[in-house]
Amino acid sequence: MAANWIPWTLLLSLLPARAANLMKEEERERRRDELVMWLQDFSQWLAHWSVRLAQLTLGISFLFATATILYSLLYYLVIPSRLHEQEIFFDYGNHASLVAEGSGLGHQLTLPTAKLNLLDPVHQWNASPVVKLPAHPQQVLVPGVKYDIYIELTVPESRVNADIGMFMVSTTLKSTDGQYLASSARSAIVHDSHSLVRWIRVGALAVLHALGLTEPAQVLDVLAINGIMESKTHPLTTAEITLNHPAIQIYSAKLTIIAQLSGVRYLMYHWSVSTAVLVILNIVFLEAVALVIIYAFYNLPAAEEEICVGVDQGQLFEQHRSGGIPPIHVERKIKTEPIETSTLIDEAMAAAVAPGNEDDEEMKLRYRSDVSIDDS
């Protein structure tokens, strides 16, 4: 009882120095062994789950890679390629800089205009008769097919464009002989944001802007004309695009003519990112289900047939033949019809008269007479 309240440090101080050091060394060795064992177990556990995580990551990456490849092939087969794509070069005239400075208000303004020859999208300049250009086809589009015409404007996020606000994009289509086919006017605007948001955006992309990899710009995709059908007699060959403000600043512009899409192809083209994510996720799910089914088919053990010992094989055969229901034994009852009185008399006489009796006929007559008397 007295040793219960003695502290361990006091007990060590009372022991000789060698004994105390020996006990400390044993305690250190025990703790070191425990720590080494714990580290070994933890390292094994960590290595095991690291391998599992690597396998899972590799499998998921493989599924997404194959799904992306399949969707790319599907997109290539379903979505038609852009039938016609051509750069647009606007002519600002002589007064664009004057209008930008505010000193050309008294002059006749020249609006930015571009005239495109769709038959020759490579040479965007006028050639003299001396210069010979290669022959070009007489028709660009397929007759009888509907097309959509888009104008893509890449504009800088400048103060000038923000102050201009809304501007109009006018498009006119003409045939080979200069006949008017269609025209449209669509509005566009450079989206302006708060100065604080602009500074945050510029600060986040400062390094990329400094390296020239990106620049603060917006892409305006304008649907100029939709659903125009190509004619065989009057094919589309010329497009004229005009902007209604002479000071609008543009980095680049492009005209795109594609076949009109509907249904899934419309979603895959105009909502490409959302459709791609949904389709790829569905493909990954189907691939995972297929892999699980294949794994279960080749790796799960087959069900062993139950062997019945001590059971009559004939009874088992009857049970299998009847679908597991034991056969029902039906007792058949023989239906007896009433026998006539004369027949009964003859049978009784035959049974009463034993074989070997000399007076058979007499016994028969006597028995018959007795029966007739009883009946009367």
Side-chain angles (χ1 to χ4, degrees), residues 91-105:
D91 182 8
Y92 278 78
N94 299 324
H95 308 290
S97 59
L98 299 177
V99 172
E101 296 174 0
S103 59
L105 299 178

Side-chain angles (χ1 to χ4, degrees), residues 120-338:
D120 188 13
V122 178
H123 305 91
Q124 295 291 329
W125 41 271
N126 298 323
S128 66
V130 180
V131 179
K132 294 184 179 181
L133 296 177
H136 47 74
Q138 298 298 323
Q139 196 165 8
V140 180
L141 307 179
V142 180
V145 179
K146 293 183 178 181
Y147 295 92
D148 293 339
I149 299 176
Y150 291 88
I151 296 176
E152 183 180 297
L153 302 175
T154 304
V155 296
E157 294 181 345
S158 61
R159 193 71 261 165
V160 175
N161 287 340
D163 294 338
I164 290 174
M166 190 76 66
F167 64 96
M168 300 299 294
V169 181
S170 301
T171 307
T172 303
L173 304 180
K174 296 181 179 180
S175 62
T176 307
D177 52 0
Q179 186 175 359
Y180 165 80
L181 296 179
S183 63
S184 68
R186 299 289 185 265
S187 61
I189 187 173
V190 179
H191 299 279
D192 192 14
S193 57
H194 195 270
S195 59
L196 179 60
V197 177
R198 289 198 303 269
W199 280 110
I200 293 175
R201 190 183 305 166
V202 171
L205 302 176
V207 178
L208 298 179
H209 292 340
L211 296 176
L213 300 177
T214 60
E215 52 188 356
Q218 296 181 14
V219 178
L220 306 179
D221 197 3
V222 181
L223 176 59
I225 297 175
N226 62 321
I228 183 172
M229 183 176 292
E230 176 69 357
S231 175
K232 187 175 183 180
T233 56
H234 301 284
L236 173 61
T237 58
T238 305
E240 296 180 0
I241 298 98
T242 303
L243 306 180
N244 73 333
H245 200 287
I248 188 71
Q249 298 175 347
I250 295 178
Y251 281 145
S252 62
K254 183 169 56 178
L255 174 73
T256 303
I257 302 176
I258 63 173
Q260 195 175 55
L261 305 175
S262 61
V264 178
R265 296 193 301 173
Y266 179 85
L267 295 176
M268 293 177 66
Y269 183 80
H270 294 282
W271 301 86
S272 57
V273 177
S274 303
T275 308
V277 171
L278 291 177
V279 175
I280 289 175
L281 289 178
N282 282 275
I283 294 176
V284 168
F285 175 75
L286 294 177
E287 288 178 344
V289 171
L291 290 178
V292 169
I293 293 175
I294 294 174
Y295 177 82
F297 180 77
Y298 284 101
N299 291 278
L300 292 182
E304 297 181 358
E305 296 183 356
E306 297 182 357
I307 302 176
C308 299
V309 181
V311 180
D312 187 8
Q313 298 298 324
Q315 185 178 359
L316 286 177
F317 175 75
E318 291 293 337
Q319 290 182 0
H320 285 292
R321 188 179 65 174
S322 59
I325 302 175
I328 301 175
H329 299 282
V330 180
E331 296 182 359
R332 296 182 179 180
K333 295 183 178 180
I334 301 174
K335 184 178 181 182
T336 58
E337 296 181 356

Side-chain angles (χ1 to χ4, degrees), residues 75-83 258-261 265 269:
Y75 189 90
Y76 176 78
L77 295 175
V78 172
I79 301 299
S81 59
R82 295 188 175 187
L83 299 178
I258 63 173
Q260 195 175 55
L261 305 175
R265 296 193 301 173
Y269 183 80

